[in-house]
Amino acid sequence: MQQTLVPEGDVGTTEPSRRPQVLTAVAGFVIGGGVIGMLWALSGVNAGALEDAQDACNALARVGTIPDTTDSPGDRTVAVLAPEILHRMTAARELSAAAAAANETYRPLAEHIDGVSRMVFSLHFNEIAGQRHLTQAEQLCTQL
């Protein structure tokens, strides 16, 4: 007995299923998107923190020499500071705060520059704490 296969009138050849290809494409898209998302998230953790800290130190250096009148506690040798000095001090404070917000490593720098800015804005150059903050900020800046 020999069987002969004869296609019926409405039955034709069937195309292979595309299901495996679709599943592979979707899985590739999900995995690729996950990897890209993870890399993007990780790159933003400390984005710009070092640059902000360095720029804060540069702004602090551009403030110039901050008078030290701790030897004469009642003396204020500078009554008024030029506006550009105050702007640079503000920039240093804000940039160091941005660096600390992005990366806690820079928190001490931000705290010391903030202490310096309070001394400068109040024109109390005889503050021992303010002068100490200045020394510490300058030391931290040399380590960047």
Side-chain angles (χ1 to χ4, degrees), residues 49-135:
L50 175 61
E51 291 83 5
D52 286 344
Q54 290 170 335
D55 290 343
C57 289
N58 291 336
L60 181 63
R62 291 189 65 210
V63 166
T65 303
I66 296 175
D68 183 356
T69 59
T70 53
D71 293 337
S72 36
D75 187 24
R76 285 192 202 174
T77 58
V78 179
V80 177
L81 293 174
E84 62 270 8
I85 291 174
L86 298 176
H87 291 301
R88 288 180 185 132
M89 191 69 244
T90 301
R93 185 186 68 215
E94 293 302 318
L95 285 165
S96 66
N103 187 335
E104 282 295 314
T105 304
Y106 301 109
R107 177 73 49 210
L109 177 65
E111 290 172 356
H112 289 301
I113 289 180
D114 183 56
V116 173
S117 72
R118 286 192 311 258
M119 177 184 68
V120 168
F121 294 141
S122 69
L123 299 175
H124 291 123
F125 300 106
N126 58 355
E127 288 182 8
I128 294 172
Q131 294 296 334
R132 190 173 312 127
H133 282 300
L134 177 60
T135 302

Side-chain angles (χ1 to χ4, degrees), residues 1-69:
M1 232 198 224
Q2 201 179 36
Q3 260 184 344
T4 309
L5 295 177
V6 178
E8 295 181 19
D10 290 341
V11 177
T13 59
T14 60
E15 293 184 27
S17 173
R18 292 187 181 175
R19 189 175 202 180
Q21 293 172 337
V22 171
L23 290 176
T24 302
V26 169
F29 180 76
V30 169
I31 291 171
V35 169
I36 296 295
M38 183 179 66
L39 291 173
W40 178 66
L42 290 175
S43 70
V45 171
N46 296 324
L50 175 61
E51 291 83 5
D52 286 344
Q54 290 170 335
D55 290 343
C57 289
N58 291 336
L60 181 63
R62 291 189 65 210
V63 166
T65 303
I66 296 175
D68 183 356
T69 59

